[in-house]
Each structure stands twice: as C-alpha cells, then as structure tokens.
Amino acid sequence: MRILITGGAGYIGSHLSDALIDAGHQVTVLDNLSTGRLTNISHLLGHTRFRLICDSILNARLVDQLVAEADVVYHLAATVGVKHVVEDPLKCIVANVRGTEVVLESAYRYWRRVVVASSSEVYGKSEKAPLSEDDDSVLGPTAVGRWSYALSKAVDEHLAFAYHRQGLPASVVRYFNSYGPRLDPRGYGSVVARFINQALDGQPITVYDDGRQTRCFTYIDDTVNGTLLVGTLAEAEGKTFNIGNDRETSILELAHMVRDMVDTELEIRHVPYAQAYGPRFEETRRRVPDTRRARDLLGFEANVPLEDGLQRTIDWFRKQRVGE
Ligand code: UDP
C-alpha cells in the first residue's frame, strides 16, 4: 500500500515509517523538520519505497496532492511536549488545529483511511484511573498555556469524528507517554529523555514536586504496534483508542530506575513546579489508560516491560553520545 505519514521524521513517525517499510509498503513522509529530525530517517533515504518531502502540513495544495496519492494517511505532525507548548502556544494551536483541518479535508475529498494521532493529555487533569476513551476531559482555564495542547487535540478528534459522520474512515489514537530510541536528545518534552540525559551527564535527576505524580510509560514498539492495528483493522473506524501500557509508575520511581541503571551515586533533586515551568502551571497528577477497547477490538497489548524499554533507550542515548 501507499502510506502517507505526516510528521514521519518525528520520534513516533520515524518508527512507524520503519515498521511500514519493513512490512513492504511505500512510505511518503511529509515533515517540515521543526521537531522531527533528519537523523531519525536518514537510514531510509536511499530506499526505493521511501520518500521524504520537507514541507509543512499547512501547505494545503501539497497535502492535497500527497493524500490523493496515498491509500492510508497517518497524521502525526503536531507540536508535542508540554514544554514546547508552554513556550509557544500559538505555534501549537495553528499546527495542531489548522494542520489537522488541512489533512482531513483532503482525506475526505479522496475518501482515504486516516488515523489522527492524539494524546492522553486530552483527559487533562482528570484523576480518574483508569481513563477510558469516553471519560470526561477535565481541563484548566485558558489562562494556563498548557491546556492549549489538550484543547487543540480535542478539536482534532472532534474534526475526525465530524468527518467520520460524513462517511470518512477516520480513527483516533491517544498515546500515553511513549518512550524509546529517538526521543529528542535534548530531553525536550519527555521526562524519560530528560532523566536519561541528566544521568549520562552525571547531573542531578530533577524530579518535579514530590515525584508522586504517575504516568504509564509505553515503549515505542508497543506505540507503533497499536497505531498500525488502528490503521489496519476495519473495527477501528470511527473510534478513539487509548494506546498505552497500563503499568502505573511514579516519577520518583522512574528517577530511581534510571539512576540505578546509569550511576547509583547520582543525586535525585526535587524541583518545585513553578521553577520548572514558571508560575500558573497546572499538572496532571495521574494518568492511567483503560486499554480494554484496544484489547477487545484490536487485540492490542503493550508488552515491553519498563525495565527492558528503559535499558534499550539508555543504550541508544549512550550510542548517540559516542557518535558525536
Ligand atoms: N517531570 C519531572 N522532571 C522533569 C520533567 C518532567 O519530574 O525533568 C515530570 C512532570 O512534572 C510530569 C511527568 O514528569 O509529571 C511527565 O512529564 P512529561 O513532560 O514527560 O509528559 P506529560 O505526561 O506531563 O505530558
């Protein structure tokens, strides 16, 4: 099949590209390399079934042409990571809302199967656990920049379903804290990358607040597997799926794990939220996916244990440093 991946040079998109190339498909990546990186896909560049187009999803004419040529579209291009979003909410809103509008308009025009990448951030600060797809979102005030990301992704989801009501075969995936090789090496946007980089630099590991807030860390192979199931199976059309591991880990526990794997002498330092993100920051204290829908309808299960995934990710970060 001919597959279009927007944001295909990003962390998740590049792994999805690898999996689809391995499965024998033709892959076109559209990426403006703003947060995506050429090094994530450089090994694919000479491949006969792979093509990279460096441009923006806001280029509607180009998107239209690429969607027309594709059988399936995975729309992953977005501004991601709480830190990016807090720093530049305008960029986030334009990329996430207008960009998705452009992609879905074309998918509708040519009636293409489309998977829209969303985020567990959509649940906001809801502390219900586990969170199932039809649970309420609990978002903070618009004066707090962080929530623009959740809202923009919620709009994307509404758009996808509005088109689905018109007959478009669209689905949504909500990712839960994916981690693995190719996370932004500056540690931007992911606590796993930050902790690993801090540890490899011999620096203190910075745990925000008391570290009792939790996340469910999902290894990239599981994230990709879930995404492909959603893009492949007819049962997924018109639905949202939590794609995540349901093991709940506190940030303090994660800090200890990284420290134990890199250097047991390292300091774990608690930092107030205000110092990390500035004033008026609001945190999601708990975020656990209910994975029943993905399991029952798609046979999805995240099965890479955090210990294994972390070790593989640390190994990758180490190798990057040797290569520098
Ligand atoms: N966090 C932390 N130290 C850091 C970076 C993040 O303690 O250096 C915490 C953050 O407060 C949050 C969790 O780690 O509770 C996950 O943060 P991340 O930015 O990876 O993703 P989120 O799930 O918040 O979108």
Side-chain angles (χ1 to χ4, degrees):
M1 284 206 286
R2 293 162 307 169
I3 315 281
L4 173 64
I5 308 177
T6 71
Y11 155 67
I12 296 177
S14 64
H15 285 282
L16 189 64
S17 299
D18 283 342
L20 287 161
I21 286 287
D22 286 349
H25 300 291
Q26 281 182 38
V27 173
T28 297
V29 161
L30 174 64
D31 199 304
N32 67 356
L33 302 179
S34 60
T35 49
R37 283 172 306 126
L38 203 54
T39 49
N40 287 345
I41 45 157
S42 48
H43 58 288
L44 293 175
L45 286 178
H47 201 291
T48 49
R49 284 184 282 104
F50 182 81
R51 166 169 79 140
L52 167 67
I53 295 173
C54 291
D55 209 318
S56 164
I57 46 167
L58 300 177
N59 182 345
R61 273 184 59 185
L62 174 67
V63 168
D64 200 62
Q65 183 194 327
L66 296 177
V67 169
E69 292 167 10
D71 300 305
V72 182
V73 180
Y74 290 92
H75 174 46
L76 275 70
T79 302
V80 282
V82 171
K83 221 169 158 54
H84 278 130
V85 171
V86 169
E87 281 169 15
D88 195 346
L90 181 60
K91 195 167 152 211
C92 160
I93 294 164
V94 172
N96 294 5
V97 177
R98 199 185 299 160
T100 301
E101 249 177 302
V102 167
V103 171
L104 285 174
E105 256 168 41
S106 294
Y108 184 59
R109 188 167 298 127
Y110 303 106
W111 223 251
R112 296 295 189 251
R113 180 91 180 83
V114 59
V115 177
V116 174
S118 183
S119 165
S120 54
E121 182 77 9
V122 164
Y123 296 108
K125 50 189 172 179
S126 167
E127 287 193 25
K128 183 176 175 290
L131 291 155
S132 58
E133 288 85 348
D134 295 335
D135 280 335
D136 289 342
S137 296
V138 182
L139 303 184
T142 50
V144 177
R146 178 195 181 125
W147 303 118
S148 68
Y149 180 60
L151 264 170
S152 69
K153 282 293 174 189
V155 171
D156 289 354
E157 295 193 15
H158 276 299
L159 266 173
F161 295 125
Y163 276 110
H164 177 258
R165 278 184 57 164
Q166 307 289 322
L168 182 74
S171 311
V172 170
V173 285
R174 285 188 188 149
Y175 294 131
F176 281 71
N177 294 78
S178 181
Y179 73 98
R182 301 185 196 152
L183 275 174
D184 189 326
R186 290 163 299 174
Y188 222 55
S190 158
V191 66
V192 173
R194 274 178 64 81
F195 284 1
I196 292 175
N197 271 323
Q198 289 169 339
L200 293 177
D201 284 341
Q203 296 295 318
I205 298 178
T206 58
V207 169
Y208 298 159
D209 200 57
D210 61 3
R212 288 207 206 144
Q213 67 272 37
T214 68
R215 292 294 185 270
C216 290
F217 296 100
T218 311
Y219 190 63
I220 184 66
D221 291 4
D222 291 323
T223 307
V224 167
N225 179 30
T227 308
L228 290 173
L229 288 169
V230 172
T232 312
L233 300 177
E235 292 86 331
E237 286 175 22
K239 297 186 185 71
T240 302
F241 292 90
N242 286 339
I243 298 299
N245 193 312
D246 50 19
R247 170 171 161 192
E248 190 174 8
T249 305
S250 76
I251 299 304
L252 191 57
E253 211 181 324
L254 177 77
H256 280 278
M257 288 172 81
V258 171
R259 183 178 70 172
D260 292 348
M261 286 180 186
V262 176
D263 175 359
T264 52
E265 301 287 300
L266 287 171
E267 180 196 347
I268 292 178
R269 184 180 291 167
H270 289 265
V271 174
Y273 283 131
Q275 195 178 316
Y277 294 111
R280 295 224 67 177
F281 177 76
E282 289 185 26
E283 166 76 308
T284 302
R285 293 288 298 180
R286 214 176 158 196
R287 196 189 275 156
V288 184
D290 181 334
T291 53
R292 274 177 300 179
R293 181 183 289 175
R295 195 181 56 224
D296 296 349
L297 292 184
L298 312 174
F300 169 75
E301 209 148 355
N303 46 29
V304 179
L306 184 55
E307 291 75 6
D308 297 355
L310 269 184
Q311 192 58 62
R312 288 183 221 169
T313 310
I314 291 169
D315 292 346
W316 181 83
F317 273 93
R318 276 215 170 96
K319 242 195 257 157
Q320 294 301 107
R321 287 166 177 245
V322 174
E324 271 168 10

